[in-house]
Amino acid sequence: MSALEIVVYPNDILEKECSKVTVFNLRLSKLLTQMYETMVEADGVGLAAPQIGICEQIAIVDIGDDHGRIDLINPSILEMQGEQIGPEGCLSFPGLFGEVKRADYIKVRAQNKRGKIYTLEAEGFLARAIQHEIDHLHGVLFTAKVTRYYENDEIEG
Ligand SMILES: [Zn+2]
C-alpha cells in the first residue's frame, strides 16, 4: 500500500460533519493502515479521514510517544480541564502555523478498529493533537481557533 493524497484547504469535505462508523471490518483496518502511512510520509502527528476524502469519524494520532498509533473511531471528549496555548499546524494547510488554545487535559471515549469502546486520558501535546483531529470529524478547522499566525522565521528560527 502507498500513501494517499491529502486534501488541501479549501475543499467542502473539510468542513462537513462526518458520519459515524458502524461497520468494523477489514476495509476499516486497511484504511487505518493507509492513513498511518500517509501521515508518516507527510511528517504529521495526526490525520483525520476527511483529509483523505472520506467523511467518516475516523482519525489517527501518533506523536511519537509510548502510545504509538492511536485509532480514534467515533471519538467523543468526556472531560476537558485546564488550558494550553501553543503552535499548531495541519496537513491540509501546508506551511501555515498558528497559536491555538486547547484544553490541557482531556478524557476521550472512542472505539478501536474492532469496535471495542475504550477511554483514554491525555495531556499536553497529545491532548492537543487529539482535540485537533476530533475537530476535523466535525468539520472544524484549526484556523477557526487561531489567535495569531506565526511568520515563517518564527517557526524555522
Ligand atoms: Zn488538521
Side-chain angles (χ1 to χ4, degrees):
M1 282 192 279
S2 58
L4 304 165
E5 193 176 330
I6 294 175
V7 175
V8 173
Y9 181 86
N11 188 306
D12 284 350
I13 199 165
L14 294 174
E15 298 186 83
K16 284 186 174 154
E17 174 74 21
C18 296
S19 52
K20 290 207 170 188
V21 174
T22 55
V23 180
F24 295 83
N25 57 7
L26 188 59
R27 173 230 170 223
L28 177 64
S29 180
K30 284 181 171 171
L31 181 63
L32 287 161
T33 303
Q34 273 191 305
M35 284 175 64
Y36 188 72
E37 289 172 356
T38 305
M39 185 197 84
V40 169
E41 190 174 291
D43 207 17
V45 295
L47 188 70
Q51 293 181 280
I52 48 145
I54 295 173
C55 201
E56 294 179 39
Q57 291 191 21
I58 304 165
I60 55 169
V61 168
D62 186 346
I63 64 162
D65 69 359
D66 292 344
H67 288 91
R69 183 183 106 187
I70 300 170
D71 296 341
L72 297 158
I73 319 285
N74 303 327
S76 60
I77 294 177
L78 302 176
E79 279 179 52
M80 291 177 141
Q81 283 172 30
E83 66 175 49
Q84 54 172 316
I85 296 168
E88 211 165 290
C90 179
L91 295 177
S92 294
F93 292 85
L96 191 66
F97 296 92
E99 199 165 73
V100 180
K101 186 164 83 177
R102 299 280 185 187
D104 190 47
Y105 162 91
I106 56 170
K107 186 173 180 182
V108 176
R109 179 172 57 205
Q111 285 168 278
N112 70 12
K113 65 184 178 183
R114 290 178 293 279
K116 186 175 187 296
I117 293 171
Y118 69 93
T119 59
L120 173 74
E121 292 176 281
E123 299 182 317
F125 186 64
L126 181 60
R128 172 179 297 279
I130 291 172
Q131 289 170 82
H132 178 112
E133 298 313 325
I134 291 178
D135 273 353
H136 269 298
L137 305 181
H138 304 288
V140 176
L141 299 170
F142 88 112
T143 47
K145 299 185 171 179
V146 167
T147 47
R148 77 175 179 101
Y149 288 100
Y150 294 102
E151 302 297 332
N152 283 332
D153 57 350
E154 286 185 82
I155 297 298
E156 288 162 14

